[in-house]
mmCIF file of all heavy atoms in Angstrom:
data_model
loop_
_atom_site.group_PDB
_atom_site.id
_atom_site.type_symbol
_atom_site.label_atom_id
_atom_site.label_comp_id
_atom_site.label_asym_id
_atom_site.label_seq_id
_atom_site.Cartn_x
_atom_site.Cartn_y
_atom_site.Cartn_z
ATOM 1 N N LEU A 158 5.352 22.164 -0.259
ATOM 2 C CA LEU A 158 6.489 22.271 -1.169
ATOM 3 C C LEU A 158 7.508 23.279 -0.674
ATOM 4 O O LEU A 158 8.710 23.087 -0.823
ATOM 5 C CB LEU A 158 5.989 22.682 -2.560
ATOM 6 C CG LEU A 158 5.200 21.603 -3.314
ATOM 7 C CD1 LEU A 158 4.824 22.131 -4.687
ATOM 8 C CD2 LEU A 158 6.008 20.339 -3.449
ATOM 9 N N THR A 159 7.041 24.354 -0.074
ATOM 10 C CA THR A 159 7.988 25.366 0.347
ATOM 11 C C THR A 159 8.890 24.861 1.457
ATOM 12 O O THR A 159 9.992 25.357 1.654
ATOM 13 C CB THR A 159 7.237 26.621 0.819
ATOM 14 O OG1 THR A 159 6.313 26.974 -0.208
ATOM 15 C CG2 THR A 159 8.182 27.774 1.067
ATOM 16 N N ALA A 160 8.423 23.882 2.214
ATOM 17 C CA ALA A 160 9.218 23.366 3.318
ATOM 18 C C ALA A 160 10.359 22.490 2.841
ATOM 19 O O ALA A 160 11.290 22.211 3.597
ATOM 20 C CB ALA A 160 8.339 22.561 4.269
ATOM 21 N N ILE A 161 10.315 22.030 1.576
ATOM 22 C CA ILE A 161 11.341 21.097 1.145
ATOM 23 C C ILE A 161 12.218 21.628 0.026
ATOM 24 O O ILE A 161 13.208 21.021 -0.305
ATOM 25 C CB ILE A 161 10.714 19.759 0.704
ATOM 26 C CG1 ILE A 161 9.792 19.963 -0.488
ATOM 27 C CG2 ILE A 161 9.993 19.085 1.833
ATOM 28 C CD1 ILE A 161 9.235 18.675 -1.041
ATOM 29 N N VAL A 162 11.838 22.760 -0.559
ATOM 30 C CA VAL A 162 12.688 23.314 -1.601
ATOM 31 C C VAL A 162 13.666 24.283 -0.990
ATOM 32 O O VAL A 162 13.511 24.731 0.139
ATOM 33 C CB VAL A 162 11.849 24.019 -2.686
ATOM 34 C CG1 VAL A 162 10.901 23.047 -3.335
ATOM 35 C CG2 VAL A 162 11.093 25.209 -2.125
ATOM 36 N N ALA A 163 14.682 24.629 -1.755
ATOM 37 C CA ALA A 163 15.712 25.528 -1.250
ATOM 38 C C ALA A 163 15.126 26.900 -0.999
ATOM 39 O O ALA A 163 14.221 27.343 -1.693
ATOM 40 C CB ALA A 163 16.848 25.628 -2.265
ATOM 41 N N ALA A 164 15.652 27.614 0.011
ATOM 42 C CA ALA A 164 15.186 28.959 0.309
ATOM 43 C C ALA A 164 15.604 29.900 -0.816
ATOM 44 O O ALA A 164 16.586 29.666 -1.497
ATOM 45 C CB ALA A 164 15.795 29.434 1.637
ATOM 46 N N PRO A 165 14.854 30.994 -1.033
ATOM 47 C CA PRO A 165 15.219 31.934 -2.082
ATOM 48 C C PRO A 165 16.606 32.508 -1.859
ATOM 49 O O PRO A 165 17.091 32.623 -0.745
ATOM 50 C CB PRO A 165 14.134 33.032 -1.956
ATOM 51 C CG PRO A 165 13.005 32.360 -1.281
ATOM 52 C CD PRO A 165 13.607 31.346 -0.362
ATOM 53 N N VAL A 166 17.240 32.885 -2.939
ATOM 54 C CA VAL A 166 18.568 33.474 -2.847
ATOM 55 C C VAL A 166 18.451 34.817 -2.159
ATOM 56 O O VAL A 166 17.670 35.661 -2.573
ATOM 57 C CB VAL A 166 19.178 33.644 -4.248
ATOM 58 C CG1 VAL A 166 20.522 34.344 -4.154
ATOM 59 C CG2 VAL A 166 19.330 32.295 -4.923
ATOM 60 N N PRO A 172 25.528 31.313 -6.125
ATOM 61 C CA PRO A 172 25.278 30.412 -7.252
ATOM 62 C C PRO A 172 23.820 29.972 -7.313
ATOM 63 O O PRO A 172 23.167 29.774 -6.300
ATOM 64 C CB PRO A 172 26.210 29.225 -6.945
ATOM 65 C CG PRO A 172 27.271 29.780 -6.067
ATOM 66 C CD PRO A 172 26.598 30.835 -5.242
ATOM 67 N N SER A 173 23.322 29.835 -8.539
ATOM 68 C CA SER A 173 21.959 29.374 -8.739
ATOM 69 C C SER A 173 21.819 27.932 -8.259
ATOM 70 O O SER A 173 22.735 27.123 -8.410
ATOM 71 C CB SER A 173 21.592 29.470 -10.221
ATOM 72 O OG SER A 173 20.309 28.951 -10.451
ATOM 73 N N THR A 174 20.667 27.607 -7.674
ATOM 74 C CA THR A 174 20.411 26.250 -7.197
ATOM 75 C C THR A 174 19.199 25.672 -7.918
ATOM 76 O O THR A 174 18.226 26.371 -8.181
ATOM 77 C CB THR A 174 20.148 26.227 -5.684
ATOM 78 O OG1 THR A 174 19.007 27.046 -5.394
ATOM 79 C CG2 THR A 174 21.351 26.740 -4.910
ATOM 80 N N THR A 175 19.272 24.402 -8.232
ATOM 81 C CA THR A 175 18.174 23.721 -8.911
ATOM 82 C C THR A 175 17.856 22.427 -8.175
ATOM 83 O O THR A 175 18.766 21.694 -7.782
ATOM 84 C CB THR A 175 18.541 23.400 -10.371
ATOM 85 O OG1 THR A 175 18.835 24.622 -11.063
ATOM 86 C CG2 THR A 175 17.383 22.693 -11.082
ATOM 87 N N THR A 176 16.575 22.168 -7.972
ATOM 88 C CA THR A 176 16.120 20.959 -7.298
ATOM 89 C C THR A 176 15.085 20.256 -8.165
ATOM 90 O O THR A 176 14.168 20.897 -8.691
ATOM 91 C CB THR A 176 15.508 21.286 -5.930
ATOM 92 O OG1 THR A 176 16.464 21.984 -5.126
ATOM 93 C CG2 THR A 176 15.068 20.019 -5.212
ATOM 94 N N ILE A 198 10.306 20.947 -10.904
ATOM 95 C CA ILE A 198 11.616 21.577 -11.044
ATOM 96 C C ILE A 198 11.595 22.922 -10.326
ATOM 97 O O ILE A 198 10.734 23.765 -10.577
ATOM 98 C CB ILE A 198 11.990 21.758 -12.524
ATOM 99 C CG1 ILE A 198 12.007 20.393 -13.225
ATOM 100 C CG2 ILE A 198 13.349 22.451 -12.652
ATOM 101 C CD1 ILE A 198 12.264 20.465 -14.707
ATOM 102 N N VAL A 199 12.537 23.094 -9.413
ATOM 103 C CA VAL A 199 12.624 24.295 -8.583
ATOM 104 C C VAL A 199 13.964 24.967 -8.842
ATOM 105 O O VAL A 199 15.013 24.330 -8.728
ATOM 106 C CB VAL A 199 12.496 23.946 -7.085
ATOM 107 C CG1 VAL A 199 12.510 25.210 -6.240
ATOM 108 C CG2 VAL A 199 11.226 23.148 -6.826
ATOM 109 N N ARG A 200 13.913 26.240 -9.195
ATOM 110 C CA ARG A 200 15.147 26.997 -9.401
ATOM 111 C C ARG A 200 15.165 28.203 -8.469
ATOM 112 O O ARG A 200 14.232 29.006 -8.451
ATOM 113 C CB ARG A 200 15.275 27.458 -10.858
ATOM 114 C CG ARG A 200 15.306 26.319 -11.862
ATOM 115 C CD ARG A 200 15.702 26.813 -13.253
ATOM 116 N NE ARG A 200 15.468 25.776 -14.262
ATOM 117 C CZ ARG A 200 16.276 24.756 -14.508
ATOM 118 N NH1 ARG A 200 17.408 24.638 -13.812
ATOM 119 N NH2 ARG A 200 15.991 23.859 -15.427
ATOM 120 N N ASP A 201 16.220 28.305 -7.689
ATOM 121 C CA ASP A 201 16.403 29.416 -6.757
ATOM 122 C C ASP A 201 15.174 29.624 -5.864
ATOM 123 O O ASP A 201 14.711 30.738 -5.628
ATOM 124 C CB ASP A 201 16.721 30.708 -7.512
ATOM 125 C CG ASP A 201 18.019 30.610 -8.285
ATOM 126 O OD1 ASP A 201 18.893 29.824 -7.860
ATOM 127 O OD2 ASP A 201 18.166 31.297 -9.311
ATOM 128 N N GLY A 202 14.620 28.483 -5.394
ATOM 129 C CA GLY A 202 13.518 28.559 -4.450
ATOM 130 C C GLY A 202 12.157 28.745 -5.069
ATOM 131 O O GLY A 202 11.166 28.856 -4.350
ATOM 132 N N LYS A 203 12.057 28.778 -6.397
ATOM 133 C CA LYS A 203 10.766 28.964 -7.054
ATOM 134 C C LYS A 203 10.470 27.791 -7.979
ATOM 135 O O LYS A 203 11.338 27.322 -8.716
ATOM 136 C CB LYS A 203 10.749 30.265 -7.853
ATOM 137 C CG LYS A 203 10.849 31.511 -6.988
ATOM 138 C CD LYS A 203 10.729 32.769 -7.833
ATOM 139 C CE LYS A 203 10.773 34.015 -6.956
ATOM 140 N NZ LYS A 203 10.646 35.258 -7.765
ATOM 141 N N ILE A 204 9.211 27.331 -7.942
ATOM 142 C CA ILE A 204 8.779 26.254 -8.837
ATOM 143 C C ILE A 204 8.624 26.836 -10.237
ATOM 144 O O ILE A 204 7.851 27.767 -10.455
ATOM 145 C CB ILE A 204 7.453 25.657 -8.357
ATOM 146 C CG1 ILE A 204 7.616 25.064 -6.957
ATOM 147 C CG2 ILE A 204 6.938 24.604 -9.333
ATOM 148 C CD1 ILE A 204 6.324 24.688 -6.283
ATOM 149 N N VAL A 205 9.368 26.293 -11.186
ATOM 150 C CA VAL A 205 9.357 26.838 -12.542
ATOM 151 C C VAL A 205 8.687 25.916 -13.551
ATOM 152 O O VAL A 205 8.256 26.361 -14.614
ATOM 153 C CB VAL A 205 10.787 27.167 -13.019
ATOM 154 C CG1 VAL A 205 11.406 28.246 -12.144
ATOM 155 C CG2 VAL A 205 11.667 25.917 -13.016
ATOM 156 N N ALA A 543 2.020 27.584 -3.459
ATOM 157 C CA ALA A 543 3.421 27.240 -3.276
ATOM 158 C C ALA A 543 4.061 28.084 -2.193
ATOM 159 O O ALA A 543 4.946 27.640 -1.483
ATOM 160 C CB ALA A 543 4.181 27.412 -4.585
ATOM 161 N N ARG A 544 3.660 29.321 -2.060
ATOM 162 C CA ARG A 544 4.164 30.170 -0.991
ATOM 163 C C ARG A 544 3.149 31.258 -0.742
ATOM 164 O O ARG A 544 3.267 32.365 -1.230
ATOM 165 C CB ARG A 544 5.510 30.761 -1.408
ATOM 166 C CG ARG A 544 6.196 31.534 -0.281
ATOM 167 C CD ARG A 544 6.627 30.622 0.854
ATOM 168 N NE ARG A 544 7.433 31.293 1.843
ATOM 169 C CZ ARG A 544 7.808 30.746 2.982
ATOM 170 N NH1 ARG A 544 7.458 29.510 3.274
ATOM 171 N NH2 ARG A 544 8.532 31.403 3.840
#
Side-chain angles (χ1 to χ4, degrees):
L158 290 182
T159 309
I161 62 175
V162 300
V166 176
S173 176
T174 60
T175 300
T176 303
I198 301 176
V199 183
R200 300 191 192 280
D201 297 333
K203 294 184 178 180
I204 299 169
V205 297
R544 187 67 172 173

